[in-house]
Amino acid sequence: MIRRLFHAVLVAVFVAAISFLSACEASEQASAEEVVTDVEWFRDAKFGMFIHWGMSSQLGGIWDGKRYYGITEWLMRRAKIPSAEYKAKSVEFNPVEYDAAEWVAVAKAAGVRYIVITAKHHDGFAMFDSAVSDFDIVDATPYGEDPLKALTEEARKAGIRIGFYYSQYQDWTEKDAAGNEWEFDPDDRNFDRYLAEKAMPQLEELLTNYGPIDIIWFDTPGDLSKENAEQLRAWVKELQPNCLVSDRIGHDLGDYKGYNDGEIPAVAEGERPWEAIFTHNDSWGFSYFDYNFKSTSEVLELLISTVSKGGNLMLNIGPDGLGRIPAPSAATFRSVGEWLKVNGEAVYGTSASPLGKVPWGGITARPGKLYLHVLHPPADGMLILPGLATKPDAARVLATGEKLKVRRDGGDIFVELPASEGSSVPVVAVDLAADTAIEVDDATAVSARYDGARLQFEDLDGGDAELAKYRTMHYFGDWKHYHTVGGLTSPANSATWNLRVLEPGTYKIVLNYSASKEQAGQEGVLTIAGRDFYFKVLETGELSEGEAFSPRKPLMFLDHPVAVVHFDQAGDYELTVRPEVANTSLAKLLFVDIRLHD
Ligand code: H79
């Protein structure tokens, strides 16, 4: 059981003192040798727009009439296209419809605080006027203009920070860079020459010709040496001391923490600012045949789960070869922006939720305040605030200002959202009393008023389960991440969750897991309210032998109902899952659902 005390007023003073100190430090340090980059804008930004755009956008995943499913910006490598042949295609890239002001208008309407665009992706094609190489949009296409010039100007005018993605390690058209083994022998590679003659000079162009740049977004560090990574970082800082570098510079040299493509961490580590990156559909670059765009509520769910854990979400769009943002992306970004226009106070500049898991959505915080993001409004509007011991001073709907009732029921605090609250994903601002103590006992609320209770790794309250992460891809590079409860190898290793059952009722308990042939057939036991429910693990399939992933082979997760349980009375219960006998880990357990059985 984790216990944490949180005093709203003290925290407010403390945070103010820290930011004052860091402001002093920053100005003192500016003249010192070691440059300290200001990351606070980034910590507060919360929502960014990633743009993958290049000559591969014109190809859109098709080569020689064949569709390559998955991430289209990897087409050259997937189809093993010789550099000369690939380069020759640049004459077909003529994005005459590109309008930087329109793109920035979408970004502005979406409420993003920063934009990162591919200046050079792995194919080596520069989306800017480069004197270092002719393989750039100005010299190698009929378009002949530098789109980054207009974009940086428009973004700055709109008050949006701007960053450049730069593929520092892979460059498939350079024999001295990494990634193109179908043409170049890695043994002949002179990586230092590529760094000195292309990457560093191009970074110099990007950090000299476009005014202040806020981020250089490095990617796929591969086996880039620590020395090379340090060299790149020092170079960026020498050119622009305030420019942040992404985590994927490698060797933990980034200015903020990053996670994998399409991954929100189960639990964010440490105090560093961090960023989750997702793409709006499954490809980063434009695809003619990828229509798996996320809906507005799916994006809001991603945004809220990220910010409620303290991070930023950078969501990607892939404009096409003519320079048009796909219509579903423009529409979704705009409607996310409509929501942010009303509810931005609950997002920008906030920090992670200090409370335990809530069954109705997510929480963000700032000193003296909590924001309740109601993704799944309960039928009777009652929002439980688990672990809050003191009754808050006031609560109001952010969009309308309507004051809400706050009440205590037993040991729990509830905010009453009117059932009539019509807006999608309403947000409630809660003012905390000065002496508010938050005691996070992490019990998950179970009540007929909520869709159900979902228990995941991050909600564990006891036992000795381990985080077991898996990743797969459907086609190619379109990663799916699963954070499962693992390490259940013996009856002594259990996963334990605390439940707060709010009223008597009957519930069905469903395990959702994936299990290999090796895991299947093992016997497990789920214990709740003093009763043991036995089950046998069913086989759903596995990752390929000796591989972490393989294309066209998703990890399948099964809903396996294992118990129906009646709670005679409200109160605290413990739910455990463990294997009957010692063996390999019981299953890749994604979640346990407690669903109303009416
Ligand atoms: O820019 C976007 C992607 O192109 C880039 N990162 C985001 C932001 C990226 N995605 N995946 N990767 C980089 C690494 C992908 C590696 C893989 Fe493969 C591609 C794994 C399987 C296919 C390379 C080829 C490694 C194994 C086989």
Side-chain angles (χ1 to χ4, degrees), residues 342-347 369 371 396-402 426-429:
V342 174
N343 299 299
E345 182 193 326
V347 173
K369 273 198 164 41
Y371 298 99
R396 70 188 153 87
V397 179
L398 216 45
T400 59
E402 184 186 351
V427 178
V428 176

Side-chain angles (χ1 to χ4, degrees), residues 426-468:
V427 178
V428 176
V430 174
D431 294 328
L432 296 180
D435 61 346
T436 296
I438 292 175
E439 191 180 295
V440 180
D441 65 4
D442 285 344
T444 299
V446 175
S447 164
R449 62 167 66 89
Y450 304 125
D451 286 350
R454 177 159 295 184
L455 311 172
Q456 290 166 281
F457 176 83
E458 63 215 69
D459 313 311
L460 280 168
D461 297 300
D464 26 33
E466 288 161 9
L467 178 61

Side-chain angles (χ1 to χ4, degrees), residues 50 52 71 73-74 77-78 118 121-122 165 170 172 217 219-220 248 261 277 284-285 316 471 473 475-479 549 551:
F50 212 173
H52 273 67
I71 56 175
E73 69 283 3
W74 277 59
R77 183 177 155 126
R78 288 192 62 199
T118 46
H121 205 269
H122 308 328
Y165 173 110
Q170 301 196 63
W172 303 329
W217 215 98
D219 197 5
T220 64
R248 296 192 193 168
D261 295 357
I277 59 165
W284 299 86
N316 178 74
R471 57 174 196 162
M473 50 192 199
Y475 293 128
F476 183 96
D478 47 351
W479 297 111
F549 48 79

Side-chain angles (χ1 to χ4, degrees), residues 120 124 132-133 166 171 174 194-202:
K120 188 198 84 171
V132 176
S133 156
Y166 190 87
D171 189 319
E174 295 290 339
Y194 154 76
L195 267 195
E197 293 177 11
K198 184 165 184 185
M200 307 267 277
Q202 284 199 328

Side-chain angles (χ1 to χ4, degrees), residues 130-301:
S130 177
V132 176
S133 156
D134 280 345
F135 190 40
D136 74 52
I137 188 163
V138 175
D139 297 313
T141 76
Y143 184 63
E145 281 175 54
D146 179 339
L148 302 193
K149 266 266 175 316
L151 191 71
T152 45
E153 279 161 22
E154 291 294 337
R156 223 167 272 129
K157 257 197 271 173
I160 298 175
R161 304 249 183 182
I162 185 95
F164 292 142
Y165 173 110
Y166 190 87
S167 176
Q168 79 279 24
Y169 176 69
Q170 301 196 63
D171 189 319
W172 303 329
T173 46
E174 295 290 339
K175 71 171 180 48
D176 288 322
N180 179 346
E181 293 100 31
W182 63 96
E183 261 184 297
F184 310 124
D185 184 349
D187 291 339
D188 298 338
R189 184 187 299 162
N190 182 343
F191 190 75
D192 283 328
R193 183 160 66 204
Y194 154 76
L195 267 195
E197 293 177 11
K198 184 165 184 185
M200 307 267 277
Q202 284 199 328
L203 283 165
E204 182 173 6
E205 293 177 324
L206 290 169
L207 291 166
T208 308
N209 301 338
Y210 301 87
I213 297 305
D214 298 295
I215 303 175
I216 292 291
W217 215 98
F218 291 119
D219 197 5
T220 64
D223 56 13
L224 190 76
S225 71
K226 183 159 190 215
E227 200 184 11
N228 285 157
E230 281 169 344
Q231 193 183 351
L232 281 165
R233 183 186 159 91
W235 186 230
V236 171
K237 299 294 174 175
E238 186 182 328
L239 293 160
Q240 293 205 24
N242 274 319
C243 181
L244 305 181
V245 299
S246 69
D247 203 38
R248 296 192 193 168
I249 189 171
H251 301 280
D252 211 13
L253 288 169
D255 287 307
Y256 57 86
K257 173 91 184 112
Y259 293 91
N260 293 308
D261 295 357
E263 180 184 34
I264 296 178
V267 182
E269 309 140 29
E271 294 300 307
R272 292 170 74 196
W274 59 270
E275 178 184 58
I277 59 165
F278 278 78
T279 184
H280 189 208
N281 48 359
D282 286 317
S283 175
W284 299 86
F286 175 75
S287 164
Y288 287 109
F289 40 86
D290 174 357
Y291 290 98
N292 190 20
F293 293 102
K294 293 163 189 66
S295 68
T296 303
S297 37
E298 284 169 330
V299 172
L300 287 180
E301 187 127 19

Side-chain angles (χ1 to χ4, degrees), residues 305-374:
S305 19
T306 305
V307 297
S308 67
K309 290 178 175 181
N312 292 356
L313 174 70
M314 178 159 70
L315 185 66
N316 178 74
I317 57 170
D320 70 8
L322 284 174
R324 301 172 299 191
I325 296 176
S329 294
T332 303
F333 271 77
R334 283 182 186 278
S335 53
V336 168
E338 291 296 315
W339 181 86
L340 277 166
K341 222 174 272 164
V342 174
N343 299 299
E345 182 193 326
V347 173
Y348 306 117
T350 61
S351 49
S353 169
L355 302 193
K357 170 124 170 180
V358 289
W360 43 259
I363 298 179
T364 51
R366 66 173 82 243
K369 273 198 164 41
L370 295 177
Y371 298 99
L372 321 181
H373 303 247
V374 190

